[in-house]
């Protein structure tokens, strides 16, 4: 895990904390087959309760989605992304800027701690109807607007 970005939380006595979605991608196939992914997902803990996932994490989110080794994990990812879209669309917080950024927001959604745990271990899914609109608003920023603009330029 030497190439992974990490944090050293205050009071942790120098222990490093890695993003769960990035750490599991370092497992060897035999570790995955032995059940290491659900085990680490169930034992992982959050450093904070913040909803925010910075837009710079978009490549990591896409890499995580492409990496998922188990069809059940891929199915849970698809399910939770669809639920995200529905919850955001049904919310009064759904604005044109959120709609324009929906695709990258769905990708970042997989990096929310509760969502990642659900995808990897089949843990209890988060309350998507309450969490998704707040996540969409807190993570919608100018860089995601740039993503939308670049898609429109490609389509033109």
């Amino acid at each position: 895990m030497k190439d992974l970005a990490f944090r050293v939380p205050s009071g942790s006595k120098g222990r490093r904390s890695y993003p769960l979605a990035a750490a599991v991608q370092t497992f060897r196939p035999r570790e995955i087959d032995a059940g290491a992914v659900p085990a680490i997902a169930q034992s992982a803990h959050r450093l904070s309760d913040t909803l925010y996932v910075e837009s710079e994490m978009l490549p990591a989110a896409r890499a995580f989605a492409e990496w998922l080794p188990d069809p059940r994990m891929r199915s849970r990812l698809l399910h939770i992304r669809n639920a995200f879209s529905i919850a955001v669309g049904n919310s009064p917080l759904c604005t044109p800027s959120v709609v324009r950024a929906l695709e990258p927001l769905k990708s970042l959604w997989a990096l929310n701690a509760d969502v990642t745990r659900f995808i990897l271990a089949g843990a209890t899914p988060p309350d998507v109807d309450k969490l998704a609109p707040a996540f969409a608003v807190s993570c919608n920023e100018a860089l995601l607007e740039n993503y939308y603009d670049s898609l429109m330029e490609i389509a033109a």
Side-chain angles (χ1 to χ4, degrees), residues 24-129:
V24 295
Q25 294 179 58
T26 66
F27 289 172
R28 294 181 180 97
R30 70 175 186 271
E31 294 169 322
I32 293 169
D33 293 342
V37 173
I40 196 171
Q42 291 171 345
S43 66
H45 66 279
R46 292 188 236 184
L47 295 179
S48 72
D49 287 332
T50 184
L51 285 176
Y52 179 69
V53 175
E54 55 213 19
S55 57
E56 289 83 2
M57 293 297 291
L58 201 49
R62 290 188 177 129
F64 173 64
E66 291 172 10
W67 169 84
L68 293 172
D70 186 309
R72 293 171 296 182
M73 292 176 192
R74 290 188 293 274
S75 176
R76 287 191 291 265
L77 173 65
L78 181 62
H79 167 79
I80 202 79
R81 286 180 58 144
N82 288 340
F84 176 84
S85 297
I86 292 167
V88 170
N90 288 336
S91 168
L93 297 176
C94 186
T95 63
S97 68
V98 169
V99 172
R100 279 194 302 272
L102 196 56
E103 279 305 311
L105 285 169
K106 286 192 311 188
S107 294
L108 291 174
W109 173 242
L111 298 182
N112 172 275
D114 294 329
V115 174
T116 303
R117 189 173 290 114
F118 168 72
I119 293 167
L120 294 175
T124 304
D127 187 345
V128 177
D129 290 334

Side-chain angles (χ1 to χ4, degrees), residues 125-149:
D127 187 345
V128 177
D129 290 334
K130 291 181 181 175
L131 189 60
F135 180 89
V137 169
S138 70
C139 295
N140 192 20
E141 56 187 48
L143 278 170
L144 296 182
E145 285 284 331
N146 292 340
Y147 171 83
Y148 173 78
D149 292 341

